[in-house]
């Protein structure tokens, strides 16, 4: 299907998902990137992406000074700048609250924003991960109320789940096949054509918005369950004094073995999305067992890792109370500055409960964000003293080049949460 001659796209939310997408579309279309965070917008306007998802020279190459250019990206906090767009793509986060219940507040607020400027013929596409039904049952009514327009008569909707992998410079947005959908068959074709025009990996047009929503939420739920399984294996094999990594390496020689590794499962996707699916299932009277069991096990791993570290310290004769420990990394994954829902904080909290003095070093994390989110002090430069224990919590590439001997005293423990240090580590998860 051919698109309109004049395509103008507004991307609502310029975070880890929105900015790479806006940058990609800006290579071909006029794109306005909208975000309510003024400091974020000012940073982008200066040509710098603090999330490190888009390299500065790549970002600067698409930035334009005015919102009505033939192509290019204009970043703004002003509602007036997105009034003339005909495609609105919403890429805001979908977190859970303290009770692990879906928090749709960012989606409601962004839908209100779009509803204020929505016009006849416009298409609103959601990329945020949700449970099946959110787009049409939760977001569309907000759009109708704020715009006074009628859904599927005056305006239309689509859903194309984000598949960004933060910190991954190989599987970038254009190289990941995109699932698309629309609120009518014709709109589905239009949404698919829009993404197909920039996604080199191709697209998959789902038959409905609910199918596309469900496809996304099970992607991360599946990974969560598989990681929970190998985490449970790690607990079992540790009791048997068997190296879990060696077991997995041996098992992986079979062609259809799934190569998952044990670890901490945090972040704003895998550690959150299963709760969205579970919540929706319960609304239909079904209590999901495997999904929530996987979540419980993965959420318990922080305390488990801390207990393993303490046991090893005791075996080495290290006095636990008052011991100085260096935690390498606080972000939720390697080579990424995002600290949202990081499970390293669970390890740190448990270690502190044992009386251990924990120093956190992470060159990528924003120290102010860590203080705001977790009330923890994080160093961005390497401390120059020696430690009783060193824990590789996040495998940033900078950490893999460290000389760990310089950080250790004569009887230090080196614990590898990520299983990447090989024989130099005393133990690994």
């Amino acid at each position: 299907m051919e698109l309109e001659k004049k395509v103008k796209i507004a991307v609502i939310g310029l975070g880890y998902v929105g900015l790479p997408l806006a940058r990609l579309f800006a290579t071909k279309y006029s794109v306005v990137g909208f975000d309510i965070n003024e400091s974020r917008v000012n940073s982008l306007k200066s040509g710098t992406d603090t999330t490190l998802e888009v390299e500065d020279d790549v970002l600067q190459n698409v930035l334009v000074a005015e919102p009505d250019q033939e192509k290019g990206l204009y970043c703004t906090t002003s509602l007036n700048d997105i009034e003339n767009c005909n495609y609105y793509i919403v890429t805001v986060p979908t977190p859970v609250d303290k009770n692990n219940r879906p928090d749709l507040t960012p989606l409601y607020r962004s839908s209100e924003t779009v509803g204020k400027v929505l016009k006849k013929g416009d298409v609103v596409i959601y990329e945020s991960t949700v449970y099946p039904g959110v787009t049409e049952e939760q977001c569309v009514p907000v759009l109708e109320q704020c715009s006074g327009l009628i859904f599927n008569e005056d305006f239309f909707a689509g859903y194309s789940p984000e598949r960004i992998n933060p910190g991954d410079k190989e599987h970038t947005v254009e190289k990941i096949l995109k699932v698309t959908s629309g609120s009518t068959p014709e709109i589905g074709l239009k949404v698919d054509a829009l993404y197909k025009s920039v996604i080199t990996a191709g697209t998959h047009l789902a038959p409905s918005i609910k199918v596309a929503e469900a496809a996304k939420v099970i992607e991360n739920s599946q990974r969560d369950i598989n990681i929970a399984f190998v985490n449970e294996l790690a607990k079992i094999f540790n009791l048997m004094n068997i190296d879990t990594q060696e077991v997995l390496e041996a098992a992986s020689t079979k062609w259809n073995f799934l190569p998952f590794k044990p670890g901490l499962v945090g972040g704003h996707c895998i550690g959150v999305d299963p709760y969205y699916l579970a919540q929706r299932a319960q609304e239909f009277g079904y209590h999901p067992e495997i999904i929530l069991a996987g979540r419980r096990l993965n959420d318990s791993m922080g305390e488990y890792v801390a207990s393993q570290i303490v046991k090893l310290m005791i075996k080495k004769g290290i006095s636990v109370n008052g011991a100085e420990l260096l935690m390498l990394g606080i972000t939720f994954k390697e080579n990424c500055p995002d600290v949202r829902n990081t499970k390293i904080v669970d390890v740190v909290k448990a270690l502190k409960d044992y009386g251990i003095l924990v120093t956190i070093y992470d060159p990528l994390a924003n120290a102010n964000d860590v203080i705001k989110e977790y009330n923890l002090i994080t160093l961005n430069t390497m401390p120059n003293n020696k430690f009783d224990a060193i824990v590789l919590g996040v495998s940033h590439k900078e950490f893999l080049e460290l000389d760990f001997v310089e950080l250790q005293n004569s009887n230090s423990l080196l614990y590898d949460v990520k299983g990447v240090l090989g024989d130099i580590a005393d133990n690994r998860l």
Side-chain angles (χ1 to χ4, degrees):
M1 169 176 257
E2 290 189 6
L3 294 166
E4 301 92 336
K5 290 183 179 180
K6 178 66 173 178
V7 171
K8 186 168 183 181
I9 303 168
V11 175
I12 313 300
L14 295 174
Y16 287 84
V17 175
L19 180 66
L21 185 69
R23 194 285 310 171
L24 178 61
F25 273 125
T27 61
K28 188 168 184 176
Y29 303 109
S30 175
V31 179
V32 180
F34 177 89
D35 201 294
I36 60 174
N37 187 331
E38 191 169 345
S39 63
R40 170 67 171 161
V41 170
N42 288 337
S43 177
L44 293 175
K45 279 186 170 182
S46 71
T48 299
D49 173 26
T50 55
T51 69
L52 308 181
E53 288 302 303
V54 178
E55 294 178 1
D56 289 353
D57 59 335
V58 175
L59 173 61
Q60 293 161 13
N61 194 46
V62 297
L63 288 176
V64 293
E66 299 293 335
D68 294 313
Q69 305 298 310
E70 183 177 341
K71 65 179 181 178
L73 173 61
Y74 179 77
C75 300
T76 184
T77 59
S78 173
L79 202 60
N80 294 334
D81 292 326
I82 63 173
E83 285 182 333
N84 296 326
C85 297
N86 47 14
Y87 286 91
Y88 295 88
I89 303 178
V90 178
T91 62
V92 297
T94 43
V96 292
D97 63 19
K98 63 181 180 180
N99 297 312
N100 292 321
R101 292 176 299 197
D103 180 5
L104 300 178
T105 303
L107 273 181
Y108 292 143
R109 296 288 179 265
S110 57
S111 296
E112 289 170 356
T113 297
V114 173
K116 293 174 183 177
V117 296
L118 202 59
K119 308 171 298 302
K120 285 192 175 184
D122 289 349
V123 179
V124 185
I125 304 167
Y126 290 86
E127 288 217 357
S128 307
T129 304
V130 294
Y131 56 75
V134 166
T135 299
E136 293 159 297
E137 298 168 18
Q138 301 291 330
C139 299
V140 164
V142 176
L143 294 172
E144 286 186 313
Q145 183 178 7
C146 293
S147 67
L149 301 177
I150 300 173
F151 177 51
N152 277 344
E153 289 185 19
D154 300 324
F155 74 95
F156 305 90
Y159 183 79
S160 181
E162 61 91 0
R163 282 177 164 174
I164 293 288
N165 186 26
D168 190 337
K169 300 306 179 185
E170 180 181 353
H171 301 97
T172 51
V173 60
E174 66 269 26
K175 298 177 183 176
I176 304 172
L177 193 141
K178 204 84 163 67
V179 173
T180 62
S181 64
S183 54
T184 69
E186 182 183 1
I187 293 303
L189 291 171
K190 287 183 68 172
V191 171
D192 190 67
L194 180 68
Y195 282 98
K196 190 176 288 184
S197 68
V198 294
I199 302 291
T200 56
T203 60
H204 173 88
L205 177 56
S208 70
I209 286 177
K210 285 187 175 68
V211 167
E213 291 170 326
K216 171 56 184 178
V217 78
I218 71 166
E219 288 176 22
N220 288 333
S221 297
Q222 182 187 68
R223 286 186 58 79
D224 193 44
I225 291 167
N226 278 292
I227 296 171
F229 173 62
V230 293
N231 275 338
E232 190 161 61
L233 292 180
K235 289 184 175 183
I236 295 169
F237 292 144
N238 282 343
L239 291 171
M240 298 178 178
N241 198 28
I242 299 173
D243 190 309
T244 305
Q245 299 287 350
E246 292 177 354
V247 174
L248 294 175
E249 287 171 12
S252 294
T253 59
K254 190 180 182 199
W255 76 92
N256 60 351
F257 184 82
L258 302 178
F260 287 89
K261 293 183 178 181
L264 302 172
V265 185
H268 48 90
C269 292
I270 300 178
V272 171
D273 298 348
Y275 289 121
Y276 274 72
L277 183 56
Q279 168 81 15
R280 190 58 165 167
Q282 289 167 344
E283 290 174 3
F284 279 81
Y286 181 83
H287 180 76
E289 296 182 33
I290 294 176
I291 294 171
L292 291 179
R295 272 288 76 229
R296 285 193 298 273
L297 195 143
N298 283 339
D299 278 345
S300 73
M301 289 303 291
E303 289 189 6
Y304 175 76
V305 168
S307 69
Q308 293 298 107
I309 293 168
V310 169
K311 286 179 182 178
L312 290 168
M313 291 173 69
I314 293 171
K315 284 183 178 179
K316 294 198 74 166
I318 301 171
S319 178
V320 174
N321 190 21
E324 294 192 27
L325 180 146
L326 176 63
M327 176 62 72
L328 294 172
I330 189 67
T331 63
F332 90 90
K333 68 174 295 186
E334 66 275 5
N335 306 320
C336 172
D338 195 349
V339 298
R340 287 177 293 173
N341 196 34
T342 174
K343 295 304 177 181
I344 296 294
V345 298
D346 294 348
V347 182
V348 171
K349 181 180 182 300
L351 291 171
K352 287 186 172 183
D353 287 342
Y354 285 104
I356 297 173
L357 305 176
V358 181
T359 298
I360 303 169
Y361 165 58
D362 195 317
L364 298 186
N366 184 305
N368 291 328
D369 289 344
V370 180
I371 291 176
K372 181 179 177 181
E373 288 287 328
Y374 308 110
N375 196 30
L376 292 172
I377 295 174
T378 302
L379 303 179
N380 290 129
T381 55
M382 176 64 78
N384 57 13
N385 53 306
K386 295 183 182 293
F387 294 87
D388 300 305
I390 301 164
V391 178
L392 179 71
V394 186
S395 54
H396 293 322
K397 60 183 180 182
E398 290 92 337
F399 295 159
L400 305 183
E401 300 168 358
L402 288 176
D403 182 356
F404 289 95
V405 175
E406 292 185 355
L407 299 169
Q408 297 174 286
N409 58 39
S410 59
N411 191 39
S412 295
L413 170 72
L414 177 56
Y415 189 90
D416 182 7
V417 175
K418 301 299 292 185
V420 295
L421 296 180
D423 294 336
I424 68 168
D426 291 291
N427 214 322
R428 57 190 179 185
L429 180 59

